[in-house]
Amino acid sequence: MAQGFLLVLSGPSGAGKGTVSEALMKSQDDIVFSTSLTTRQPRPNEVDGENYFFVSKEKFFEMVDNDELLEYAQVHNNYYATPKKFVYDKIEDGEIVLLEIDVQGALQIKERYKNVVFIFLLPPSMSELRTRLVNRGTESEEDIDTRFNNAYKELDFVGEYDYFVVNNTVDQAVKDIQNIIAAERLRVKRHKNIKENVSKGWD
Ligand code: 5GP
């Protein structure tokens, strides 16, 4: 069995991470989504335990103190984190665990873990990004400005990632990520018994 790995997907707010990862998950059943914790308020159509685990600041920092988080960061005035146990269990099962996290979280993961593929999702342009943020209609004007300015700063970190994908269309972005996954699956280091498998024949 190939070893599982972490697939980190970052990119500015409005680049389409949510839509792309949803489509990606539908297209492949060997990928599981790591549901993050957040102290932010749920948006109207968000479901607790599906989009996020919505928690109080007290609960959040209790989990920090108990070392239950793989990484955590403050993003746009709220706190976000990846729970550790779920990720460890799934990697052990040979699955690809998709983390949709910001740059600060990705950098923490990069420092601590080896078995990770980092992808940066880009909008086609900054003006298109603003249009998408406005059309989403879920943030106030002030929040949109914060997210837009943060987005521009985040672009400086693209060099920390292994791959970039431009989200011109969701279909194309998903295909690009599928190709990255297919190549990563064939990395020799992810397979322990290649010679044995060839001798016996592959399943
Ligand atoms: P939103 O509030 O739009 O759902 O997310 C805001 C930002 O927080 C996005 O860039 C998203 O990738 C990031 N984010 C979501 N979950 C996590 C997480 O678990 N850890 C970190 N570091 N960032 C996260």
Side-chain angles (χ1 to χ4, degrees):
M1 184 175 70
Q3 284 172 358
F5 57 90
L6 280 178
L7 186 69
V8 168
L9 182 67
S10 302
S13 188
K17 295 186 297 285
T19 318
V20 168
S21 37
E22 218 172 284
L24 178 69
M25 306 276 307
K26 276 195 191 132
S27 74
Q28 273 186 237
D29 57 13
D30 56 351
I31 308 175
V32 288
F33 184 74
S34 159
T35 305
S36 297
L37 301 170
T38 183
T39 60
R40 136 164 113 56
Q41 290 301 308
R43 294 182 183 131
N45 49 14
E46 284 182 330
V47 179
D48 188 33
E50 233 173 70
N51 305 84
Y52 284 105
F53 295 106
F54 295 96
V55 296
S56 64
K57 263 193 197 161
E58 290 69 33
K59 171 76 184 160
F60 190 96
F61 283 101
E62 197 183 300
M63 291 180 78
V64 173
D65 289 344
N66 292 338
D67 196 24
E68 292 177 57
L69 307 177
L70 204 63
E71 59 75 36
Y72 75 96
Q74 186 178 5
V75 191
H76 321 308
N77 307 321
N78 296 299
Y79 291 96
Y80 296 84
T82 305
K84 215 179 237 180
K85 187 176 182 315
F86 177 84
V87 173
Y88 282 5
D89 288 352
K90 294 295 173 185
I91 295 284
E92 194 119 305
D93 291 346
E95 304 217 43
I96 298 170
V97 183
L98 176 60
L99 306 187
E100 200 192 300
I101 62 174
D102 88 314
V103 167
Q104 305 170 72
L107 292 177
Q108 291 174 39
I109 301 255
K110 197 171 174 184
E111 256 177 38
R112 293 178 203 159
Y113 304 94
K114 288 233 156 52
N115 198 10
V116 190
V117 178
F118 292 92
I119 303 178
F120 201 95
L121 189 70
L122 294 165
S125 67
M126 288 309 286
S127 68
E128 175 61 23
L129 183 81
R130 184 177 274 283
T131 307
R132 288 182 188 178
L133 282 172
V134 171
N135 289 348
R136 190 157 82 178
T138 49
E139 270 82 29
S140 66
E141 227 170 89
E142 196 189 332
D143 271 349
I144 289 174
D145 282 342
T146 309
R147 281 166 187 260
F148 186 80
N149 292 332
N150 287 350
Y152 197 63
K153 286 185 211 143
E154 274 181 22
L155 295 181
D156 290 334
F157 290 92
V158 70
E160 300 286 340
Y161 286 70
D162 299 312
Y163 300 94
F164 73 93
V165 169
V166 180
N167 186 13
N168 274 309
T169 67
V170 174
D171 276 358
Q172 187 55 52
V174 168
K175 270 188 202 133
D176 286 349
I177 297 175
Q178 285 171 334
N179 288 336
I180 293 167
I181 291 173
E184 290 290 338
R185 276 275 191 219
L186 294 175
R187 272 195 194 276
V188 169
K189 71 172 184 189
R190 298 198 199 288
H191 298 262
K192 287 205 183 101
N193 307 314
I194 294 178
K195 186 170 177 185
E196 201 179 298
N197 275 311
V198 179
S199 308
K200 282 194 318 210
W202 296 83
D203 293 335

